[in-house]
Amino acid sequence: MKQAGAGLGLSVPAARDQVAGWDTWRRARHAFVPAPARTFGQWRAMTPLERSAFDLHRMATHANLPLLDTPMSQRVDRLLSARIRTNAFKAKPSTRAGVMISGGGYQGKTETTCEIVAAFEDSWRALHHQVHPDASPGTRDLWVPVAYVQTPVTAKPKSTCKAILNFYGAPTKNMDLPDLIRQVAASLTDHGTKVLVLDDITRLRMHRADDQDTLDLIRAFMSMNVTLVLIGVDIPASGLLREGRLDAASGQGVLPPSRHATAHGLEATQTERRFDLVELDRFRYDTDEQITAWTTHLTGVEQALRLMNAPPGMLTSGRMPEYLFARTNGVVGLLERLIEDGCTEAITSGAERLTENLLDALPLTLAGASRDAEAGEIPAVPAAPTRRPRAGRRRNTAFDDHGPAASDTA
């Protein structure tokens, strides 16, 4: 029996906002090996050490549930993948249209986007036989098709440039803003970057002058021959698009030119900055189609669980789909947290199955260190239901035979 973690693909979480961390995550993102399915009999036949290791493996499995496709994520995948690939093959110096991915907190925006752009990088590297196609003769430039950067909490033009340059490990000391912008442009070009992802973009507050300048600078990045992907919470309501207009013909948001557009020698004729806006929404539970989509997703989750007393349809039969929706409001991140905590409790308690009573005792708390509540990154969590004892069901006595009616003269 393997020790827990040995050969399972488990490792220290990589810092994806740095080149080495991103590459480590990209290569290993599908490497985790879930625990095999076992019966109670097989579990009892193990030695105590084997049982302990197997239980740890099961907990690791529940802590690393697979990223499942949903109708909403598939819509994002279709749009983003097509946009990235179209832009990657453009030879003209025109501005590349970008993509804004909006949605609520804990709805899987970051993981969905990272999976899509990592899949693009895999295919782009394979297309070029793992060799940087635009490397300068006589040099060995590090090839970085995708750059993933988190927007600084207090974003300013300088700090945003430095966050991008920190991804590449490029120097930033003693540089003024024009130098930083030129260094960003040089890094994107020299490393063959085709996609620049800026996560948590709605940390920008449009009532602050520094944040307005930062957004203006970000628009300039679109002229650097990359696909700019912005991820944020409720982008339409954030103010990021308030200066733009919607192009009815293309369905794209069109933003005015950036004042920084000539800071590093860009052509002044590039006057438009276009974005496709796509929503990664939560599940809904109003129509038959929506209920079916939710239940299908629960089926996928259930198949990934390793509980030894779990009946068929544990998450999809009876009231459970409706209960899970009420606890999570259809937010996939909240569902994952509830299921993970529930499986841990089911294993440690010996119940080995998920029930409403077991889940009722588990509050959903989202005290995440890297989440900005003011930017909407922490969603409202539905309160756990308060169960009342069910009153005994009253029997229908309408058809009871009470015998002959009493006489008035008796």
Side-chain angles (χ1 to χ4, degrees), residues 271-350:
T271 58
E272 290 186 334
R273 304 292 182 269
R274 293 176 179 268
F275 282 95
D276 290 303
L277 176 63
V278 61
E279 180 83 12
L280 184 59
D281 199 4
R282 63 183 178 87
F283 280 96
R284 306 286 174 171
Y285 206 79
D286 300 319
T287 67
D288 289 343
E289 183 180 7
Q290 292 169 342
I291 294 173
T292 298
W294 174 247
T295 306
T296 300
H297 184 72
L298 294 179
T299 299
V301 173
E302 183 177 323
Q303 291 171 349
L305 304 185
R306 295 295 184 264
L307 298 177
M308 293 182 291
N309 193 32
M314 178 178 66
L315 303 184
T316 59
S317 61
R319 295 180 60 252
M320 188 60 85
E322 184 176 352
Y323 171 84
L324 292 173
F325 187 86
R327 286 296 308 272
T328 64
N329 205 25
V331 176
V332 293
L334 297 184
L335 175 68
E336 182 177 313
R337 175 68 66 85
L338 182 63
I339 294 298
E340 178 185 335
D341 291 349
C343 287
T344 299
E345 175 63 22
I347 291 173
T348 54
S349 68

Side-chain angles (χ1 to χ4, degrees), residues 65-101:
L65 294 175
L67 182 66
L68 301 176
D69 285 338
T70 68
M72 299 78 73
S73 69
Q74 289 173 343
R75 185 164 57 249
V76 173
D77 191 355
R78 285 192 297 270
L79 188 149
L80 181 56
S81 296
R83 178 61 60 211
I84 290 173
R85 284 165 171 76
T86 298
N87 287 348
F89 287 110
K90 281 185 181 292
K92 299 182 294 184
S94 57
T95 300
R96 275 57 169 164
V99 178
M100 289 183 173
I101 299 174

Side-chain angles (χ1 to χ4, degrees), residues 110-133:
T110 295
E111 295 309 315
T112 298
T113 302
C114 284
E115 176 59 36
I116 293 169
V117 299
F120 162 76
E121 180 170 344
D122 291 343
S123 63
W124 191 250
R125 288 180 177 273
L127 177 65
H128 295 286
H129 308 289
Q130 308 300 324
V131 177
H132 185 355

Side-chain angles (χ1 to χ4, degrees), residues 184-251:
V184 168
S187 294
L188 292 170
T189 301
D190 293 346
H191 296 296
T193 301
K194 296 296 181 180
V195 182
L196 173 59
V197 179
L198 293 178
D199 201 355
D200 299 322
I201 193 64
T202 42
R203 289 177 176 178
L204 297 179
R205 308 289 196 271
M206 290 300 99
H207 65 278
R208 298 191 301 222
D210 283 337
D211 295 41
Q212 294 173 22
D213 288 343
T214 302
L215 179 61
D216 190 56
L217 172 65
I218 289 170
R219 293 205 293 264
F221 295 157
M222 299 177 72
S223 299
M224 298 180 186
N225 298 331
V226 298
T227 300
L228 184 59
V229 181
L230 307 181
I231 308 172
V233 174
D234 195 6
I235 288 177
S238 68
L240 294 178
L241 298 172
R242 70 181 183 183
E243 296 179 353
R245 60 180 175 83
L246 182 66
D247 187 330
S250 65

